[in-house]
Amino acid sequence: GVAVFGCLALGIIGYKTTGFADTGAPPKADSTIGQQVISQHFPGASVNPQLVIFKFAQPVWNNLAVLAKAQTELADGGRFKAVSGPLNANGLTLSPQGLQQMHALTPFSPVMKIISQFISADGKTVQFYVISNAGSPGSSASIGATPANRALVSTVGRNIGAEQSAIYGSDSIGYDI
């Protein structure tokens, strides 16, 4: 049995997996074509992102300036190369005032449906999509950057008055494991 399995195992010598975010995938592979389409039409933080989550005591609809502050501090903190959130969802760019007006006047519009992926129904939980600048998602460098990324998220959370903050995704899970 060992000889049979040993022979079968020889078939994987030199085998290299190519995943969706792997730049080594063949040019005509579905994953490569899909990656190109996503890169052309969606923000950089929509491909295998980490999720930054902030929990507030009161709905953010009462103070949307915290969203702009959070987005700015996450982007300027030197840890993430891409940040997407409720103010720049799927190619839309909104000011806090514009988002407030839209929420008040047209809460069931298609734009608000897009925003709902970032702000919970009760308005107390907000998430951002981020990509670590330490390396490709899932890489050893990106996984190793988790403590510093968590520290930045905690600092931003305190600065915007969030009761809780966290970062979640494949890199943070890999680090914890």
Side-chain angles (χ1 to χ4, degrees):
V2 171
V4 169
F5 284 116
C7 289
L8 290 173
L10 291 175
I12 65 168
I13 293 176
Y15 177 76
K16 182 179 184 245
T17 60
T18 56
F20 193 68
D22 188 349
T23 56
K28 295 186 186 222
D30 288 345
S31 61
T32 302
I33 294 167
Q35 178 63 46
Q36 291 168 349
V37 171
I38 288 172
S39 296
Q40 291 170 357
H41 299 285
F42 295 97
S46 63
V47 180
N48 197 11
Q50 298 285 312
L51 306 177
V52 171
I53 302 167
F54 298 111
K55 178 88 170 137
F56 297 89
Q58 300 296 320
V60 294
W61 299 114
N62 301 332
N63 182 13
L64 289 171
V66 298
L67 301 179
K69 184 173 181 167
Q71 181 133 356
T72 298
E73 289 189 17
L74 288 170
D76 293 347
R79 304 296 319 157
F80 306 117
K81 64 182 175 184
V83 178
S84 294
L87 299 177
N88 68 337
N90 294 350
L92 299 171
T93 302
L94 298 169
S95 68
Q97 297 80 13
L99 181 56
Q100 179 67 50
Q101 290 173 345
M102 191 167 294
H103 178 257
L105 299 175
T106 57
F108 302 107
S109 72
V111 172
M112 289 308 296
K113 288 181 183 178
I114 292 170
I115 301 303
S116 70
Q117 69 182 316
F118 296 102
I119 302 175
S120 65
D122 68 0
K124 294 180 180 181
T125 305
V126 177
Q127 79 175 355
F128 291 85
Y129 298 164
V130 298
I131 300 289
S132 175
N133 65 10
S136 299
S139 68
S140 295
S142 191
I143 291 169
T146 296
N149 292 346
R150 284 179 174 161
L152 174 61
V153 169
S154 291
T155 299
V156 172
R158 280 190 304 277
N159 292 347
I160 62 172
E163 287 186 328
Q164 297 175 321
S165 61
I167 185 166
Y168 170 79
S170 60
D171 292 342
S172 58
I173 290 170
Y175 179 82
D176 290 342
I177 292 172

